[in-house]
Amino acid sequence: MVDAPPGSVAAAARAAFLARDLDGELAVLIADSRAAGDRDYEPVRASDIEPAQGRWLLSFSGGGVQVDMEVEEHHGRLRLIGQLLGSSDADCFLDSAGGRRLVEVDELGRFIVADIAPGPVRLRCRSVDGRVVTTAWVTV
Amino acid sequence: MPEPDVTELVDRIRRGDAGAWQLLTDRYLNLLWSIARGLRLNDADAADAVQTTWLRLVENLDDIREPKRIGSWLATTVRRECLDIRRRTARVRPGEPETPGGWDGLAATTVDPLDVALLRDERDAALWRAFHALRPSCQRLLRVLLTDPAPSYAEVSAALDTPVGSIGPTRQRCLKCLRELLAQDAAFLGEQPPAADRAPAEDSRGEGRATR
C-alpha cells in the first residue's frame, strides 16, 4: 500500500551494517523496569506510584561487565546515569544515531551521559581484563 | 534478475558483504515499516523500532539459527520493539487517557498522520475511508499482506503473532468487509463502486504464498 517508509529509514537501515562488531562480547539486557512482567526492580517503586510513572532502570550483563543505568527524560532529550562494574575506566563510548561519543567514567565506575536524542543506544566499554564489551541495543 | 535466496544473503552478510546487507534491508524494509505502522506507531517511533530491529540483526548475525526464516525473525523482532516502545511512551505520558478496548480502541481513535498524504485522488480517498472503517485487526493484516515484496504467510504470522492457518480465512473476511464498505460508500455518494482492480489485489496473492 502507499504507506512507504521515509527515505531516512532506508538510509539508516543500510548504515546499520556499520555497527557490526566483530571483536566485542555482548552484555545482554537482564532487567528492564518497564518491561512487561519484570519484577526485578519492584522494590524500588513506592507502592502508591503508578508503574507508568516509575523510574526507568536498565541492567546489562556479559563479558565480565555489568551495567546498571537509569534513563531520565527532560524536554524530549534523555540522560543516562549509571554505573559500570568490572570495566576499566578508559575507553567507554556511547553509540547512537548521532554517532559515537566518549563516556567519562569515574574511578567508581559511575557515569552520566546527557542530551541524548530518543532512539537506539548502546554502550561499548573495555573490561578490566581487556575484553571489548558492548551492551545490547535498547531504544530509549 | 533472479532474487538471491535469503540463506545465501545471510551467508554473504556474515562474511561482511555490505551489498548483500543492502539487498536484505531493501527486501524487508517495507514489511517492517508496515508492521510498525499497523501497530499505530508515529513516524519517529516506527523509525526507531525498525532501526533497532536492523541493529539487533547485526548484533545477532552469527546466532541466527535458521537463516531461511530471517523474515519471520525480523517480523517478530520489530513487533516486540514496537510493543516495548509503546509501553515506554505510554508511561512517559501519564496523562494519556485509558482507551476502552486496549490497543484496538486506541487504534480506532488515533489519526494516522500519513493518511492526508495518501489521499491522492477520490478513489484513494474512498479506499482509505473504507480501510479505516475496518476492524483494526483487519487493517493490520491487510497492511502487512499488501507489503511489497509480498511477505510469506510465515512472515505474516510472525508479524501479527497469529497462526499461519488463520491468515487465509481472515484475509478473505477482511477483503469481503472492505468490498462491502466500498460499495456502501459509493452508494451513499451516488457513484459507481470503484473498479474491482482498485480493491487490494486479491487474485495476485494466492494461497500458494503460504508454501513459498
Side-chain angles (χ1 to χ4, degrees):
Chain A
M1 213 168 271
V2 210
D3 187 356
S8 58
V9 173
R14 288 170 189 175
F17 195 51
L18 301 174
R20 192 166 188 208
D21 197 6
L22 294 167
D23 56 348
E25 289 183 59
L26 193 64
V28 296
L29 185 65
I30 54 166
D32 175 356
S33 65
R34 288 188 176 173
D38 190 331
R39 291 281 167 262
D40 285 5
Y41 286 117
E42 205 62 35
V44 305
R45 285 185 203 139
S47 56
D48 58 344
I49 294 179
E50 227 286 296
Q53 297 172 42
R55 302 160 75 200
W56 185 9
L57 302 159
L58 298 166
S59 292
F60 301 87
S61 179
V65 168
Q66 170 142 0
V67 186
D68 297 297
M69 64 186 188
E70 175 166 4
V71 185
E72 291 182 349
E73 194 193 7
H74 189 65
H75 294 306
R77 304 291 283 186
L78 300 161
R79 183 162 77 152
L80 304 179
I81 302 174
Q83 186 163 28
L84 289 154
L85 297 172
S87 83
S88 66
D89 53 3
D91 293 344
C92 196
F93 298 90
L94 182 84
D95 287 341
S96 68
R100 176 170 287 189
R101 55 198 268 199
L102 187 68
V103 175
E104 304 245 7
V105 183
D106 75 8
E107 68 275 12
L108 296 175
R110 297 173 301 189
F111 63 88
I112 296 179
V113 196
D115 201 28
I116 302 165
V121 298
R122 71 175 178 189
L123 279 170
R124 182 184 168 83
C125 301
R126 197 172 285 279
S127 70
V128 277
D129 49 10
R131 289 181 284 174
V132 173
V133 181
T134 305
T135 62
W137 288 100
V138 61
T139 311
V140 296
Chain B
M1 188 182 78
E3 278 189 58
D5 121 307
V6 284
T7 308
E8 185 203 324
L9 277 183
V10 173
D11 205 43
R12 282 166 55 193
I13 291 166
R14 281 175 172 161
R15 294 197 304 263
D17 183 340
W21 173 258
Q22 185 166 327
L23 289 172
L24 189 82
T25 54
D26 287 351
R27 177 136 161 198
Y28 288 109
L29 189 69
N30 286 347
L31 175 65
L32 300 191
W33 185 254
S34 75
I35 294 168
R37 299 288 299 160
L39 291 171
R40 293 283 158 168
L41 264 61
N42 64 29
D43 269 16
D45 286 344
D48 282 348
V50 170
Q51 184 63 6
T52 303
T53 300
W54 294 123
L55 291 166
R56 218 171 276 306
L57 175 57
V58 172
E59 184 178 274
N60 292 289
L61 259 183
D62 297 323
D63 302 322
I64 304 282
R65 270 170 298 181
E66 291 186 88
K68 70 174 190 299
R69 301 194 65 243
I70 196 96
S72 302
W73 187 94
L74 287 166
T76 303
T77 303
V78 79
R79 183 168 48 78
R80 287 189 186 143
E81 291 299 331
C82 290
L83 299 181
D84 277 350
I85 289 173
R86 283 198 72 109
R87 194 168 45 238
R88 288 163 185 163
T89 36
R91 292 178 178 197
V92 171
R93 297 174 200 142
E96 210 161 35
E98 293 288 319
T99 43
W103 277 30
D104 283 2
L106 184 63
T109 57
T110 310
V111 176
D112 189 333
L114 276 185
D115 286 357
V116 181
L118 294 171
L119 305 180
R120 300 249 167 77
D121 62 31
E122 271 306 304
R123 286 169 141 191
D124 279 350
L127 184 58
W128 278 86
R129 243 186 341 261
F131 182 80
H132 281 289
L134 288 170
R135 285 199 313 278
S137 56
C138 270
Q139 294 185 28
R140 278 199 287 276
L141 176 68
L142 293 181
R143 264 181 199 272
V144 168
L145 279 172
L146 296 174
T147 304
D148 178 33
S152 69
Y153 272 23
E155 287 160 1
V156 175
S157 163
L160 303 173
D161 197 18
T162 187
V164 169
S166 78
I167 295 170
T170 310
R171 170 179 150 278
Q172 292 297 341
R173 275 198 302 277
C174 292
L175 288 175
K176 183 165 174 282
C177 276
L178 185 63
R179 265 186 234 106
E180 285 166 6
L181 287 162
L182 276 169
Q184 278 172 22
D185 202 31
F188 179 72
L189 295 171
E191 293 166 356
Q192 290 298 307
D197 64 334
R198 293 298 298 173
E202 186 186 1
D203 297 339
S204 67
R205 284 160 204 268
E207 308 303 317
R209 280 285 174 204
T211 55
R212 187 173 77 178

